[in-house]
Amino acid sequence: MALPAPLQNFIDGPRLPKVVVGVVVLVAILAVGYVFAISPTQQNLAALEVKKSQIKTDLDKNRAAAAQIDQYRREIADLEKKLVALREKLPNEKEMPALYRTISDAAHQSGLGVALFQPGAMRPRDVVNEIPVTLSAQGGYHDLGRFFARVAAIPRVVNVTGLKLSGLPKGRDSMRAELTLSTYTYRTGPAAPAAPRPAAPKPGASVSPVGRAKS
């Protein structure tokens, strides 16, 4: 089958035009391949790179958060240990009579003459109940210092929250001390109802360690 005259003349003609046409056709093929194959692939690769970067960023954040969680867990464990240790220093309600006796014995052993020992009503304070104890005693400054030292050595928390001193005519080292001591119990529920205040002892009556007068 004979080719058309123009095409036959092109084939039989000079070599340069054929090379030029071949190059043009090759460039066109490459351009079409780039548009329909290479360019979408590059776009997909770029999108995957962005997604990979985001995943790496999220992973780093999660690792940092996990490290902080472990740190928080350790801090919570340390706080729980400290809370347990503090709770052990607070007497419970069953221990209160024994604690009253310990405080009263500390006053007598220090050389103080106790005229009044009166536990007060329980007062809610945040997560604890404060229990004040009014103590009226007579003695010397050194006796009072020994009493403070004995109170500080008590395993349970007992604080001196009030102090009033007045001199007595008996001697230079004799004085009267009006003290308010406070101890605390840990409160996990609603505030406990106030306990009735014990009756004050009659003049001249001795005082038992738990604050009740004996005739």
Side-chain angles (χ1 to χ4, degrees):
M1 181 177 178
L3 295 175
L7 182 59
Q8 187 64 43
N9 293 333
F10 176 78
I11 294 173
D12 296 337
R15 182 178 180 184
L16 180 59
K18 292 186 284 186
V19 172
V20 172
V21 171
V23 171
V24 171
V25 172
L26 179 62
V27 170
I29 294 174
L30 292 177
V32 172
Y34 176 82
V35 171
F36 292 99
I38 298 176
S39 179
T41 301
Q42 288 182 340
Q43 292 177 356
N44 291 334
L45 287 175
L48 290 176
E49 287 292 338
V50 172
K51 188 173 182 180
K52 175 184 175 182
S53 178
Q54 292 176 347
I55 293 175
K56 185 177 182 301
T57 301
D58 294 339
L59 181 61
D60 293 339
K61 290 181 179 179
N62 292 334
R63 286 176 177 173
Q68 289 181 348
I69 290 175
D70 293 337
Q71 180 181 355
Y72 293 152
R73 287 176 177 173
R74 290 192 296 269
E75 292 177 356
I76 291 174
D78 292 339
L79 290 175
E80 288 178 347
K81 291 180 181 178
K82 292 179 180 179
L83 181 58
V84 171
L86 290 175
R87 287 181 181 177
E88 292 177 351
K89 293 184 179 182
L90 300 180
N92 54 48
E93 293 183 5
K94 295 181 179 179
E95 294 176 318
M96 293 308 301
L99 180 60
Y100 292 152
R101 286 193 294 270
T102 300
I103 297 174
S104 180
D105 291 343
H108 289 292
Q109 293 169 2
S110 300
L112 294 175
V114 179
L116 176 65
F117 188 95
Q118 182 173 325
M122 189 178 295
R123 306 170 184 168
R125 294 283 188 273
D126 295 331
V127 296
V128 298
N129 292 319
E130 180 184 5
I131 304 174
V133 178
T134 300
L135 176 65
S136 178
Q138 180 178 333
Y141 289 100
H142 296 291
D143 301 330
L144 186 62
R146 285 191 292 269
F147 173 67
F148 287 157
R150 291 179 184 273
V151 169
I154 295 176
R156 297 295 185 259
V157 175
V158 180
N159 294 330
V160 179
T161 55
L163 174 61
K164 181 180 179 182
L165 303 177
S166 57
L168 295 176
K170 286 186 177 181
R172 182 177 58 183
D173 296 332
S174 184
M175 65 177 181
R176 181 181 299 279
E178 305 290 340
L179 299 171
T180 301
L181 307 176
S182 294
T183 187
Y184 308 87
T185 59
Y186 185 74
R187 175 165 53 86
T188 56
R197 294 177 63 87
K202 298 179 181 179
S206 60
V207 180
S208 68
V210 294
R212 295 191 177 184
K214 295 189 293 185
S215 57

